[in-house]
Every structure is written in structure tokens, then in C-alpha cells.
Amino acid sequence: DGSQVWINAGSTLKYSGISGSNERTVYLDGEAYFRVQSNPSKPFIVQTPNLSIKVLGTEFNIKAYTDELFATAVLDKGEIEIKAGKNKSYVLKPKELLLYNIPDDEIVISTVSDNEATNWMNGTLVFTNATLQEILKTIERRFNVTINPGNINADKQQDITVKFIKNDNLDDVMDILTELLGNITYTKDGNNILLKEQ
């Protein structure tokens, strides 16, 4: 239908090509940026494990990995309606981010800057007030590695803000991260990384 989707690492997008349907529905596990062609007679639906997003014609980013505790939606242009958990529907305006805390079934809506939703599309990784666990999972997906946090409680390490640029390789990323954290080192064995608290 002319719609476009950019899919991030470690993500799966499924589409049932059933003709004659009144909806255009895709199923996402992971992160993707959508540029949807308008067709009022056939709404575009994105289903994730915890969110349902309904659009007519718009651009937006969804991050909803099955193994993460939070799901997010960021609207770039247009308008989207989101249903999350037991909560009611929410309509986002451009540059708004919906953060869904899955275990607590809580929604927070905030405003974001330009390009915040699409940094991953140009190879940049940006984290604002993130947990170490969230950062490690993203690094695992980006570089196709396994990171063992060892004796570190990665969920307790919170409020980390860091930016990795497009040309940063895995060693650059790990060096920057461990230097930022200060008391953590890492060793690498092939595709396996072990963190260690000093």
C-alpha cells in the first residue's frame, strides 16, 4: 500500500496478506519506525505483546520487545491511538512519547526532542535515565553478543544517560559504558561478554 517500515535489530514484524480486509494489521515484537500511507477506509493497526496502535496515516516509532519491562511509542507526525494493558485509549500528538510500565500497568506521556525516536535508524544509540539492564539488552541486539552481568544487579543501576555514535564498535561502546559506571570492568570471549564489579 506504499507504507514503509524500518526494523531495528532483534525485531520481528509479521504481516498477514489477507485481501478484502477492512484493516491493515501487522504484528511487531521489537522496535520499528513506521511511515504509513493514509487510507481512511483501511486503518493501519500495529499489534505488539502489550500495545495496540491504530493509525490512518502518520509516522511513529514503537519499541515493544517481549523481554523488556517497558514499551514505548513516539509520534513523529500525524496522530495515533494507543491501547495499553487495562488502561483506556490514549491519542498521541506529534513529539509525544507514551511509556508503558508493563508490570505496574502504568502509563506516562511526555514530550521528546526531534530525532529521539529515530536515532537508532542512523546507528546512534541514545539512553536517557535508562537502567543498565536496558542498555545491555540493546547492546546485545545491536552487536549480536551475549552479556552476562555477573555479580552486578543490572536493574539496580539506574538513571544512566549516555550516547554512542554511529561509528562506535563493540569495544568502544563497552569501554565508554564501563568508564561511565566507574566500578565495572568487562572481559570478552568471542561473542560472550562478562561484566565484573571491582
Side-chain angles (χ1 to χ4, degrees):
D1 69 354
S3 295
Q4 297 174 301
V5 184
W6 289 258
I7 304 171
N8 203 348
S11 303
T12 304
L13 184 73
K14 295 180 182 177
Y15 170 71
S16 176
I18 300 171
S19 60
S21 172
N22 290 332
E23 294 179 346
R24 299 171 286 167
T25 303
V26 296
Y27 302 89
L28 174 68
D29 180 358
E31 183 170 17
Y33 184 85
F34 294 84
R35 185 175 290 155
V36 178
Q37 286 292 335
S38 178
N39 185 344
S41 65
K42 286 193 174 186
F44 192 95
I45 310 291
V46 180
Q47 294 285 354
T48 78
N50 298 289
L51 299 175
S52 177
I53 299 93
K54 181 178 179 180
V55 303
L56 295 177
T58 188
E59 295 182 27
F60 59 99
N61 193 81
I62 302 295
K63 184 178 180 187
Y65 288 97
T66 304
D67 61 349
E68 292 192 357
L69 301 177
F70 297 92
T72 62
V74 179
L75 181 62
D76 215 7
K77 297 176 183 175
E79 188 174 280
I80 57 177
E81 179 184 354
I82 302 174
K83 294 179 183 174
K86 299 172 187 171
N87 290 287
K88 62 179 183 177
S89 295
Y90 295 85
V91 176
L92 288 190
K93 298 173 185 169
K95 306 306 175 202
E96 284 188 335
L97 176 145
L98 179 141
L99 173 69
Y100 176 44
N101 180 324
I102 298 163
D104 296 338
D105 193 33
E106 292 179 352
I107 299 284
V108 175
I109 296 177
S110 59
T111 304
V112 296
S113 61
D114 286 343
N115 302 324
E116 189 164 328
T118 57
N119 280 316
W120 65 268
M121 292 171 64
N122 63 27
T124 303
L125 297 177
V126 179
F127 300 94
T128 305
N129 298 324
T131 65
L132 179 58
Q133 183 67 29
E134 179 185 350
I135 295 171
L136 295 180
K137 285 183 179 183
T138 302
I139 293 170
E140 285 182 327
R141 286 191 288 267
R142 170 63 65 89
F143 295 101
N144 196 25
V145 295
T146 302
I147 302 176
N148 181 344
N151 61 348
I152 300 164
N153 186 339
D155 286 325
K156 293 280 187 186
Q157 300 268 355
Q158 299 181 17
D159 299 326
I160 302 169
T161 298
V162 64
K163 177 179 181 179
F164 303 108
I165 59 174
K166 180 178 181 178
N167 296 327
D168 284 342
N169 61 34
L170 177 59
D171 289 326
D172 293 335
V173 168
M174 293 306 300
D175 289 343
I176 291 167
L177 183 60
T178 53
E179 183 178 335
L180 176 68
L181 297 172
N183 62 336
I184 294 175
T185 61
Y186 76 97
T187 56
K188 194 167 75 167
D189 181 14
N191 286 342
N192 296 306
I193 297 173
L194 174 64
L195 297 183
K196 185 177 179 183
E197 199 163 13
Q198 295 179 322

